[in-house]
Amino acid sequence: MSTKIAFINTTKKQLTFLLFVWAIVQIILYVHNGIVTDLEAKKYINEATFFIKNGHLSTGNFYLYSTEIFLIVASLKLKTGFILVVIIHWIMNLLATYMFFTIAMNFLKKEILAVIVTFLYIINIPYQVYNSFLFTESLFYSLTIIYSGFLLRLTILNLKNIIFIFLFLLLLSITRPTGILFFGATAIYVFFKFLHHWSIVQKMVLLTVSLVLFIVLINSMMQSGGELNLMLPFVKENIICGVNTTINANIQTLQNDTSLYGLLYYITHNPGHFLHLAWLKTISFFAMTRSYYSLPHNILLILFYYPFYLMSILDIRNQFKTGKKKLNYFISIIILYWLTSVFTCDDWHGRFFLTISPFLFLLGMSIFSPQIKKPA
């Protein structure tokens, strides 16, 4: 009993330290940036205003960003100013920080490693900076960690948990369109974690149904209108979204077809063009450096993120030997986001990569964790 009490007291001290660091980081970022209402925030504010006047959003694609838009609607209706949105961002980010700590404790098996990796999560400035921006990123990043914390702590898969998982995944998908990728990562995790007693036929049926549903959902989202145009990055050779390398590439495409079939047609009829762009997007996605960043900025990005690539690669074989099912979830998310970048374009500030950065931290830090030979 005394050992357990000592452990709890130690954990409280560690959490107090992490809370202090978190508060310092948020205060500094808020003082430096204030509440950011320009750039991408403008379209969400405009859309919130449009909704208040008309009772609906202007185009279907905005429903895939509606969580943030309706937060702005609430702040406008309640006349609180946009500080209400930022406060909610902070609350969700703080909850996500705690959930990340619990994920790290369970995955890494050592409190000191959990503290270190959570500290890195908190000082991940490109990730944390969006908390005072009226962008979708802050809320989305926090929700992905909160959801992952819930999912990875499940010990049984009953109807109640399945319903909660489904509803949370829907919430992710209307916070940012890429939230749908967590459907895929969840399916893979559940498949290996909870369905080991199912027959091969049952597993194949579930896998087929899940894949078909996943494809249908993605296809529907890609045809929701507005700014979502699946073929535009290939026609204009966008490595970075919105940055055109050419006005109209000399490629074969189906006219005005933004569906997955249109994408498949493009790939099969222009394999060389697709592979070339895929390679450039892969470099952009994982490098995180940009030509429009200063040299010190790029050096800091390299020093902060690149060691986790190396540590993850060096330890991946040992981690698979431990049989940790969480490993499937982390790797699935990383691969799905990389593929999304390949099949679309990379973000101007690497925000797609930032979504997976917490999971990369966990994979990298696992090189120092005890190699326990049983599933976790």
Side-chain angles (χ1 to χ4, degrees):
M1 180 65 71
S2 61
T3 303
K4 184 176 181 181
I5 293 173
F7 172 76
I8 292 173
N9 289 336
T10 302
T11 301
K12 285 182 178 178
K13 290 179 182 178
Q14 308 292 13
L15 288 175
T16 301
F17 164 72
L18 292 172
L19 176 61
F20 174 76
V21 176
W22 179 88
I24 294 298
V25 168
Q26 303 310 320
I27 291 170
I28 291 173
L29 289 176
Y30 182 73
V31 170
H32 183 267
N33 297 313
I35 300 176
V36 177
T37 58
D38 58 358
L39 304 172
E40 191 172 309
K42 286 182 178 179
K43 66 181 180 182
Y44 301 127
I45 296 170
N46 291 339
E47 202 60 30
T49 304
F50 183 92
F51 181 84
I52 291 172
K53 290 181 179 179
N54 300 281
H56 61 85
L57 300 179
S58 61
T59 57
N61 69 298
F62 278 113
Y63 284 98
L64 302 176
Y65 304 89
S66 59
T67 308
E68 183 73 12
I69 291 171
F70 289 136
L71 275 182
I72 297 173
V73 168
S75 71
L76 293 173
K77 283 279 193 178
L78 297 172
K79 302 185 187 304
T80 60
F82 295 133
I83 188 62
L84 174 64
V85 179
V86 175
I87 289 172
I88 293 174
H89 285 180
W90 282 332
I91 292 172
M92 297 302 292
N93 183 267
L94 183 58
L95 178 57
T97 302
Y98 174 74
M99 292 299 286
F100 184 78
F101 177 76
T102 64
I103 295 171
M105 283 283 287
N106 187 268
F107 183 68
L108 300 175
K109 305 300 183 185
K110 291 182 71 173
E111 186 180 55
I112 184 61
L113 295 180
V115 171
I116 292 171
V117 79
T118 306
F119 175 79
L120 292 170
Y121 174 84
I122 293 170
I123 65 166
N124 185 4
I125 301 303
Y127 183 95
Q128 297 287 345
V129 73
Y130 293 103
N131 290 332
S132 64
F133 286 49
L134 299 193
F135 289 18
T136 57
E137 274 69 25
S138 174
L139 196 57
F140 182 69
Y141 292 160
S142 297
L143 287 173
T144 61
I145 298 300
I146 295 168
Y147 168 74
S148 299
F150 166 78
L151 177 67
L152 298 177
R153 293 175 68 180
L154 288 181
T155 55
I156 59 171
L157 191 66
N158 53 31
L159 181 59
K160 178 182 176 182
N161 289 334
I162 291 173
I163 292 173
F164 189 84
I165 287 171
F166 182 73
L167 292 176
F168 212 129
L169 287 170
L170 284 181
L171 177 61
L172 288 177
S173 299
I174 61 171
T175 303
R176 281 196 65 80
T178 53
I180 196 174
L181 300 178
F182 281 82
F183 273 93
T186 299
I188 292 170
Y189 175 71
V190 168
F191 186 87
F192 287 102
K193 174 70 175 179
F194 296 106
L195 306 183
H196 50 84
H197 61 284
W198 283 28
S199 68
I200 295 178
V201 174
Q202 288 175 315
K203 288 181 179 179
M204 290 305 297
V205 170
L206 178 63
L207 190 62
T208 302
V209 171
S210 300
L211 183 61
V212 170
L213 179 61
F214 189 59
I215 291 173
V216 169
L217 287 172
I218 291 180
N219 199 51
S220 299
M221 291 172 69
M222 290 302 101
Q223 298 184 80
S224 60
E227 297 176 339
L228 289 177
N229 187 327
L230 194 62
M231 289 308 304
L232 194 62
F234 298 102
V235 174
K236 297 192 175 182
E237 296 185 343
N238 294 162
I239 307 303
I240 303 296
C241 296
V243 180
N244 300 333
T245 304
T246 183
I247 296 176
N248 191 6
N250 185 24
I251 55 175
Q252 296 183 54
T253 61
L254 294 176
Q255 189 70 22
N256 298 321
D257 191 336
T258 61
S259 67
L260 288 176
Y261 176 73
L263 176 61
L264 181 62
Y265 179 91
Y266 154 74
I267 293 172
T268 55
H269 286 76
N270 310 272
H273 186 263
F274 168 74
L275 290 174
H276 175 66
L277 290 180
W279 173 245
L280 295 177
K281 292 172 187 178
T282 296
I283 294 173
S284 175
F285 179 80
F286 287 109
M288 271 294 285
T289 56
R290 299 288 188 262
S291 60
Y292 39 82
Y293 289 164
S294 67
L295 180 60
H297 190 164
N298 281 328
I299 290 174
L300 285 173
L301 290 173
I302 291 170
L303 293 176
F304 191 73
Y305 295 115
Y306 285 25
F308 291 96
Y309 293 140
L310 179 60
M311 290 188 294
S312 298
I313 293 170
L314 290 176
D315 193 54
I316 196 70
R317 184 178 176 184
N318 287 331
Q319 285 300 314
F320 272 117
K321 285 181 179 179
T322 66
K324 288 184 177 181
K325 303 301 186 295
K326 297 177 181 63
L327 199 66
N328 299 323
Y329 182 73
F330 299 153
I331 293 176
S332 297
I333 292 171
I334 292 171
I335 291 175
L336 285 169
Y337 265 83
W338 162 62
L339 288 176
T340 299
S341 179
V342 165
F343 285 104
T344 54
C345 51
D346 194 21
D347 179 74
W348 185 264
H349 295 296
R351 286 177 288 180
F352 298 150
F353 169 83
L354 290 172
T355 305
I356 68 168
S357 60
F359 305 107
L360 178 65
F361 292 165
L362 290 168
L363 287 177
M365 288 299 293
S366 67
I367 197 171
F368 303 108
S369 66
Q371 301 302 316
I372 302 171
K373 299 290 183 178
K374 75 176 192 178

